[in-house]
């Protein structure tokens, strides 16, 4: 699954340097001149089953059909591998890159080591930190406006692996040398007016007087200074530092349908509840193109617009209403302005938090509802109100969140109606099937070059037919080899509002995974409403087919993220495992897999009546 693992596997066939005929020795991964920071790498390919395949003169293990995926260690720098089968030979070069920062030689800072590396803006009195990599035993400092901040050499700190390490069970931190890693912090309460510039719109006025600190202050670029063996150099940082005015903080409005809120200022940080279109919030910090909002989340500025002259949004909330529509209960929160919100699902409850909100609530009407047992509310903190929906059953079926003007509407979906006949147990059920990848997005590759996108579509069509036999209405995100964006796939789920959405994939591994030993069926979920079907399908299919158990993972994936329905992503097996690949491409095994998933879905629906 290419977008999950970050694994770029090209289904290319490397030509032999010896034989002039059509080559039968194929190495799909790695392609020559491949670069990685992993300590080892697996070789994925195939050759006729007769004879041996040698890598650097050593025989490797192969499947009955001749497929292979051995893992080999890598030294730092260039690694040359010779893959040979009978009279065919391939030369593949893999370069292992170091993950440790390279210390500079002599009187210099390490390249691109000065931080902050981008423009930042902070509140008065907020901590501002700097870092640099320089030779040991040096004196390092930073001059910012009228301050000089000493940077001290830091003790050893553990280095965390990427999130992908959880997929290979190798997610333990490891020590990294901190030689040359200097850090230091400071705060700026009210800058000296002789050492800064004021920002008025797009105009900068140096040395202006600020009697009330009511304007944003530009402190310019920090100047890093390095002294070693009696010699000194000064180097400006690449990012400017600004101090916001608490009296005139900018206010923005979310213009995206669902603004992506994160825990930090880059796509590396975790996603939080999306902010509905129209949400207004105060900006309390900036980092490059990212904005920190007053509820503590970060959002890309491209998803917002500035509201000139607007004051920080604050609202009260009084009565809360509700209405039943076909298939859902809508809870209506009348507000004065659209404020940031977050949703948290738990066992038999869903909680909605409103920020910048003060409750004046005395009356809430909620008659007997097919979904909601009771609604509670609490002013958890100044400007933060939490509404908890205690539900009649543990299984939740999806929700939608939107602003109608300044009124927040939370739609909680009712359980689907269960079919009453043995022959059509899924009658009245709508199911979305998403064959992963397609078009240019090929996904992973098997040892023969057979692409994941193709087998995903084969299995999805077989599964569709099995579900239709059971009475279900099935909506496919694609029915041929075409590219469908992740946003489009998510939109289909949101628009169709199915009883369940399944994304069909086949797995592969990061570079340092053990492809020969890693196999099995796996499921991925994100919202708690998808946990029950994920666990059920995992256990059902593994037991029904006798497949290896890879695992159940909470994972923030594009196709597990839709909240409008329980959304589960299935990894049916590993394209990178030689033996399992033979089952993946076997038509009889494909039919068995489709039948098992369809029956598993049927049994799960019965279990949550």
């Amino acid at each position: 699954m290419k977008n999950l693992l970050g694994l770029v596997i090209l289904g290319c066939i490397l030509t032999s340097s010896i034989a002039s005929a059509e080559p039968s020795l194929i190495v799909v991964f790695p392609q020559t001149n491949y670069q990685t920071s992993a300590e080892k790498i697996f070789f994925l390919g195939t050759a006729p089953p007769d004879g041996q395949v040698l890598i650097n003169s050593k025989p490797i293990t192969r499947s009955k059909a001749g497929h292979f995926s051995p893992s080999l260690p890598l030294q730092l720098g260039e690694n040359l591998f010779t893959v040979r089968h009978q009279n065919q030979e391939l030369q593949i070069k893999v370069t292992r890159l170091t993950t440790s920062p390279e210390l500079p030689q002599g009187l210099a800072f390490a390249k691109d080591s000065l931080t902050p590396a981008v423009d930042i803006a902070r509140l008065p009195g907020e901590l501002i930190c700097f870092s640099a990599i320089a030779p040991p035993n040096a004196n390092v400092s930073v001059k910012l406006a009228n301050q000089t901040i000493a940077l001290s050499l830091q003790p050893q700190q553990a280095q965390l692996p990427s999130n992908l390490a959880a997929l290979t069970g190798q997610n333990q931190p490891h020590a990294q040398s901190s030689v040359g890693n200097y850090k230091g912090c400071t705060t700026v309460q009210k800058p000296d007016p002789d050492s800064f510039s004021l920002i008025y719109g797009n105009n900068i006025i140096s040395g202006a007087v600020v009697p009330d600190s009511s304007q944003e202050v530009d402190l310019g670029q920090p100047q890093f200074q390095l002294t070693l063996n009696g010699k000194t150099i000064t180097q400006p940082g690449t990012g400017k530092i600004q101090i916001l005015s608490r009296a005139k903080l900018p206010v923005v409005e979310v213009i995206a349908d669902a603004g992506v809120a994160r825990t930090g200022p880059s796509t590396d940080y975790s996603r939080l509840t999306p902010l509905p279109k129209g949400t207004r919030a105060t900006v309390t910090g900036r980092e490059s193109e990212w904005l920190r909002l007053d509820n503590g989340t970060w959002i890309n500025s491209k998803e917002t617009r500035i509201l000139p002259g607007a004051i920080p949004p604050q609202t009260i909330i009084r009565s809360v209403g509700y209405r039943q529509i076909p298939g859902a209960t809508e809870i209506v929160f009348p507000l004065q302005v659209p404020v940031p919100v977050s949703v948290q699902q738990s066992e038999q409850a869903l909680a909605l938090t409103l920020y910048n909100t003060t409750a004046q609530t005395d009356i809430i009407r909620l008659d007997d509802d097919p979904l909601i047992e009771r609604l509670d509310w609490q002013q958890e903190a100044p400007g933060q109100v939490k509404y908890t929906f205690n539900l009649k059953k543990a299984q939740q079926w999806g929700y939608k969140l939107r602003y109608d003007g300044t009124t927040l509407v939370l739609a909680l979906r009712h359980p689907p109606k269960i079919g009453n006949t043995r022959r059509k147990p899924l009658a009245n059920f709508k199911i979305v099937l998403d064959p992963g990848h397609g078009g240019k997005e090929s996904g992973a590759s098997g040892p023969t070059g057979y692409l994941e996108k193709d087998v995903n579509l084969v299995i999805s069509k077989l599964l569709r037919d099995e579900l239709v036999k059971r009475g279900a209405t099935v909506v496919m995100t694609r029915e041929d080899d075409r590219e469908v964006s992740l946003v489009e796939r998510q939109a289909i789920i949101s628009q169709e509002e199915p009883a369940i959405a399944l994304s069909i994939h086949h797995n592969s591994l990061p570079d340092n995974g053990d492809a020969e030993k890693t196999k099995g069926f796996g499921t991925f979920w994100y919202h708690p409403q998808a946990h029950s079907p994920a666990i059920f399908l995992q256990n059902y299919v593994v037991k029904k087919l006798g497949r290896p158990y890879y695992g159940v993972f909470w994972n923030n994936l594009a196709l597990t993220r839709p909240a409008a329905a329980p959304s589960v992503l299935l990894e049916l097996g590993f394209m990178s495992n030689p033996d399992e690949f033979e089952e993946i491409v076997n038509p009889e095994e494909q039919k068995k897999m489709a039948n098992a998933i369809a029956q598993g879905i049927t049994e799960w629906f019965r279990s949550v009546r």
Side-chain angles (χ1 to χ4, degrees):
M1 193 172 92
K2 189 174 176 182
N3 65 320
L4 167 63
L5 301 176
L7 180 63
V8 182
I9 298 183
L10 301 179
C12 59
I13 298 177
L14 304 182
T15 57
S16 170
S17 59
I18 297 178
S20 59
E22 185 70 20
S24 54
L25 170 63
I26 300 172
V27 175
V28 174
F29 178 81
Q31 56 271 30
T32 193
N33 297 321
Y34 187 76
Q35 294 184 338
T36 180
S37 59
E39 296 178 353
K40 62 179 181 178
I41 195 167
F42 66 87
F43 281 69
L44 185 64
T46 191
D50 58 306
Q52 289 185 324
V53 171
L54 308 175
I55 299 184
N56 287 353
S57 301
K58 295 182 179 180
I60 61 173
T61 302
R62 296 198 288 157
S63 69
K64 291 181 180 179
H67 310 323
F68 56 83
S69 61
S71 292
L72 300 176
L74 295 174
Q75 297 179 341
L76 285 174
E78 292 186 359
N79 296 260
L80 186 61
F81 296 93
T82 300
V83 186
R84 185 177 182 86
H85 176 259
Q86 295 181 354
N87 65 337
Q88 290 184 279
E89 185 177 286
L90 304 174
Q91 298 284 339
I92 298 175
K93 184 176 71 175
V94 178
T95 301
R96 179 184 165 193
L97 306 173
T98 180
T99 57
S100 301
E102 185 176 349
L103 285 176
Q105 299 296 319
L107 188 66
F109 290 106
K111 183 180 179 182
D112 300 326
S113 70
L114 306 183
T115 67
V118 296
D119 294 349
I120 68 170
R122 296 291 186 264
L123 294 171
E126 188 175 351
L127 207 62
I128 302 172
C129 293
F130 307 88
S131 68
I133 295 176
N137 304 320
N139 288 320
V140 180
S141 61
V142 171
K143 186 173 183 181
L144 178 69
N146 62 345
Q147 293 190 56
T148 298
I149 304 101
L151 305 191
S152 58
L153 194 62
Q154 297 302 297
Q156 181 171 296
Q157 183 176 358
Q159 184 180 24
L160 298 179
S162 75
N163 276 299
L164 300 181
L167 302 173
T168 59
Q170 302 170 353
N171 60 337
Q172 293 300 310
H174 57 273
Q176 180 185 31
S177 173
S178 61
V179 175
N181 188 8
Y182 293 82
K183 292 185 178 181
C185 302
T186 189
T187 60
V188 178
Q189 295 288 349
K190 184 178 179 181
D192 182 347
D194 292 330
S195 61
F196 63 83
S197 300
L198 275 182
I199 298 179
Y200 290 91
N202 293 324
N203 299 317
I204 299 178
I205 306 175
S206 299
V209 178
V210 193
D212 59 358
S213 295
S214 62
Q215 300 293 332
E216 189 171 303
V217 178
D218 187 354
L219 300 179
Q221 294 172 296
Q223 301 295 313
F224 289 78
Q225 183 171 290
L226 167 63
T227 301
L228 182 65
N229 298 327
K231 297 181 180 180
T232 299
I233 62 166
T234 299
Q235 183 174 326
T238 56
K240 295 181 180 179
I241 297 175
Q242 296 169 347
I243 304 299
L244 299 171
S245 163
R246 289 186 182 273
K248 293 188 177 181
L249 293 175
V251 174
V252 295
E253 179 179 82
V254 175
I255 58 175
D257 288 337
V260 179
R262 295 185 181 273
T263 57
S266 81
T267 56
D268 291 335
Y269 287 91
S270 300
R271 287 176 178 250
L272 300 168
T273 302
L275 299 176
K277 186 176 183 178
T279 299
R280 296 181 185 180
T282 305
V283 176
T284 64
R286 291 197 304 267
E287 193 153 329
S288 186
E289 62 181 2
W290 294 84
L291 306 177
R292 185 181 62 194
L293 306 182
D294 50 20
N295 68 333
T297 64
W298 290 80
I299 189 171
N300 194 297
S301 59
K302 295 178 181 178
E303 297 191 83
T304 69
R305 70 182 182 97
I306 294 178
L307 300 177
I311 63 172
Q314 298 284 333
T315 184
I316 60 172
I317 182 168
R318 291 176 177 161
S319 63
V320 175
Y322 89 103
R323 58 189 177 227
Q324 288 192 14
I325 62 174
T329 296
E330 289 191 340
I331 310 297
V332 180
F333 302 86
L335 304 173
Q336 295 169 304
V337 293
V339 293
V341 300
S342 65
V343 172
Q344 183 178 14
Q345 290 175 292
S346 58
E347 184 72 18
Q348 215 155 324
L350 182 144
L352 171 74
T353 300
L354 299 171
Y355 298 90
N356 303 327
T357 302
T358 302
Q360 292 184 357
T361 302
D362 287 330
I363 300 176
I364 297 176
R365 177 178 178 177
L366 185 63
D367 300 326
D368 188 30
D369 184 83
L371 188 68
I372 304 169
E373 181 71 37
R374 191 180 71 252
L375 170 58
D376 300 327
W377 73 268
Q378 182 180 10
Q379 185 87 41
E380 286 200 311
Q384 188 170 317
V385 183
K386 183 178 182 179
Y387 292 87
T388 301
F389 298 88
N390 301 283
L391 306 177
K392 291 183 176 178
K393 292 187 177 181
Q395 181 58 45
Q396 300 177 42
W397 296 96
Y399 69 88
K400 288 185 175 181
L401 203 57
R402 73 179 190 276
Y403 271 111
D404 286 344
T406 64
T407 297
L408 181 68
V409 179
L410 171 65
L412 301 178
R413 294 186 58 205
H414 295 168
K417 296 180 180 180
I418 306 296
N420 294 322
T421 66
R422 287 182 175 271
R423 292 186 58 195
K424 301 289 185 181
L426 298 182
N428 304 320
F429 281 70
K430 181 188 289 185
I431 297 173
V432 167
L433 289 184
D434 170 56
H437 308 289
K440 296 178 181 178
E441 291 294 324
S442 59
S445 173
T448 64
Y450 185 48
L451 298 175
E452 181 197 349
K453 66 173 183 176
D454 297 324
V455 69
N456 290 345
L457 186 58
V458 170
I459 296 289
S460 295
K461 287 182 175 181
L462 292 171
L463 177 55
R464 174 197 60 193
D465 296 343
E466 290 292 337
L467 294 171
V468 169
K469 287 179 186 177
R470 292 163 172 79
T473 299
V474 179
V475 177
M476 303 270 285
T477 60
R478 68 179 180 98
E479 298 199 43
D480 52 22
D481 184 19
R482 70 177 63 191
E483 189 169 349
V484 183
S485 72
L486 297 177
V487 173
E488 290 173 317
R489 296 169 196 253
Q490 291 174 321
I492 291 171
I493 296 172
S494 182
Q495 178 181 342
E496 295 292 340
E497 296 184 353
I500 192 171
L502 296 177
S503 188
I504 305 300
H505 287 256
H506 288 78
N507 223 333
S508 191
L509 286 170
D511 293 352
N512 61 349
D514 191 336
E516 281 186 323
K517 295 181 180 179
T518 306
K519 60 172 66 175
F521 187 92
T523 59
F524 294 76
W525 62 279
Y526 178 63
H527 296 289
Q529 64 200 23
H531 179 255
S532 173
I535 291 287
F536 191 97
L537 288 173
Q538 175 73 20
N539 292 335
Y540 187 91
V541 172
V542 166
K543 183 178 180 180
K544 182 80 172 178
L545 300 181
R547 291 295 181 93
Y549 188 107
Y550 177 55
V552 179
F553 299 83
W554 178 90
N555 204 330
N556 189 349
L557 300 169
L559 270 302
T560 59
R561 216 156 36 233
S567 301
V568 177
L569 187 144
L570 302 179
E571 294 281 3
L572 310 187
F574 278 81
M575 303 284 284
S576 51
N577 182 276
D579 296 314
E580 193 159 61
F581 176 73
E582 293 182 18
E583 290 187 335
I584 288 172
V585 298
N586 184 316
E588 292 303 315
E589 295 297 325
Q590 292 172 346
K591 291 177 184 178
K592 291 179 183 179
M593 176 63 74
N595 184 275
I597 296 172
Q599 194 58 34
I601 293 170
T602 304
E603 295 300 327
W604 177 73
F605 279 128
R606 286 174 176 160
S607 73
V608 293
R609 283 186 178 182

